Amino acid sequence: MTDFAGLVAAVTGGASGIGAACADLLADRGARVAVLDREPGTPQRHLPVFADVTAPLEDAMDRVALALGGLDILVNCAGVSAVGTVEQAGDDEWHRCLDVNVVGVARASRAALPHLRRSGSGVIVNISSIAAGAGLVNRAVYAATKGAVHALTLAMAADLVADGVRVCAVAPGTVDTPWVARLLANAADPVEEKRRLAARQPTGRLVTAAEVAEAVAYLASPRSGATTGTSLAVDGGMSGLRLVR
């Protein structure tokens, strides 16, 4: 498929995990892609751009547009996780996660919008989480930030629809990423912890980064021009299925 031919995409947090899978798939389907990350590396296929979503991003987005000839797609993938209950989380953790996961989405979107409005195919896809609505144990801070991303997606979609810019979200379940690998490495019993995480999905396995990227590409594609204000779950059935007889 070449539905992204002639389009330019910027992916925050694009150097690893879900972000890297999104960058690669969009490029496979014809897009010119910029990877925005605190450690963008030197990818051969993509434009590496240093960017920290806790700081202004106007210069980074302008650099993308100048180098690649515009900006049509923003994937807001940069994020951090947190484990624990509301009693266990201190103010510093709340501020850190909100700053990256919520305000970071706003910063990147604000910086990209002057370019997206000129695109004719402008779209923002935010990476939310099934934790936004599922009520997972020991995920108070993380779930709160992803719930905010869901609400922000809907509000942005309403604000920008008249400008021809679509805004959607993807809500993954537990994804097999480097962050999850680090979580497992620190567990008392990594094998049992991975089994437990996999068992949360009715499919009985972790979601892959490639599967999340496919959902992002579906929403970002010009072929989905009638889709906005939508959150697409990629969670192995976790949000909707109850396998109890």
Side-chain angles (χ1 to χ4, degrees):
M1 296 177 66
T2 57
D3 47 332
F4 292 98
L7 300 181
V8 175
V11 183
T12 70
S16 65
I18 294 171
C22 291
D24 288 345
L25 182 59
L26 293 173
D28 287 344
R29 290 170 58 171
R32 300 187 298 280
V33 179
V35 167
L36 280 63
D37 203 286
R38 291 192 302 175
E39 297 181 8
T42 55
Q44 295 182 350
R45 303 179 64 197
H46 314 311
L47 174 70
V49 177
F50 171 82
D52 185 338
V53 298
T54 66
L57 292 164
E58 279 72 14
D59 287 347
M61 296 299 175
D62 289 348
R63 179 182 171 190
V64 172
L66 180 63
L68 299 182
L71 180 59
D72 307 285
I73 300 158
L74 171 64
V75 181
N76 280 311
C77 196
V80 294
S81 189
V83 176
T85 69
V86 72
E87 294 174 292
Q88 294 166 336
D91 286 1
D92 288 347
E93 187 165 34
W94 276 102
H95 289 303
R96 178 182 71 93
C97 292
L98 286 164
D99 194 23
V100 174
N101 293 355
V102 184
V103 186
V105 169
R107 290 189 186 98
S109 301
R110 183 173 60 216
L113 273 169
H115 306 288
L116 296 176
R117 286 191 175 100
R118 292 192 289 268
S119 162
S121 299
V123 59
I124 298 170
V125 182
N126 299 323
I127 302 299
S128 179
S129 169
I130 210 63
L136 303 181
V137 297
N138 290 322
R139 293 293 188 274
V141 177
Y142 181 72
T145 65
K146 292 303 185 177
V149 169
H150 176 80
L152 179 60
T153 298
L154 297 178
M156 288 170 56
D159 288 337
L160 297 172
V161 66
D163 294 337
V165 177
R166 299 185 296 112
V167 187
C168 297
V170 174
T174 304
V175 184
D176 192 359
T177 62
W179 183 86
V180 169
R182 290 191 293 272
L183 178 70
L184 293 173
N186 292 326
D189 185 342
V191 173
E192 173 58 23
E193 181 65 12
K194 185 172 185 177
R195 185 206 64 75
R196 188 185 67 80
L197 291 176
R200 293 197 305 195
Q201 279 82 210
T203 53
R205 64 171 178 85
L206 299 181
V207 178
T208 69
E211 288 169 328
V212 180
E214 288 284 355
V216 169
Y218 165 74
L219 293 171
S221 172
R223 298 182 181 188
S224 298
T227 304
T228 191
T230 293
S231 181
L232 178 56
V234 184
D235 63 353
M238 184 177 173
S239 57
L241 302 184
R242 300 294 182 268
L243 305 185
V244 178
R245 293 180 175 87

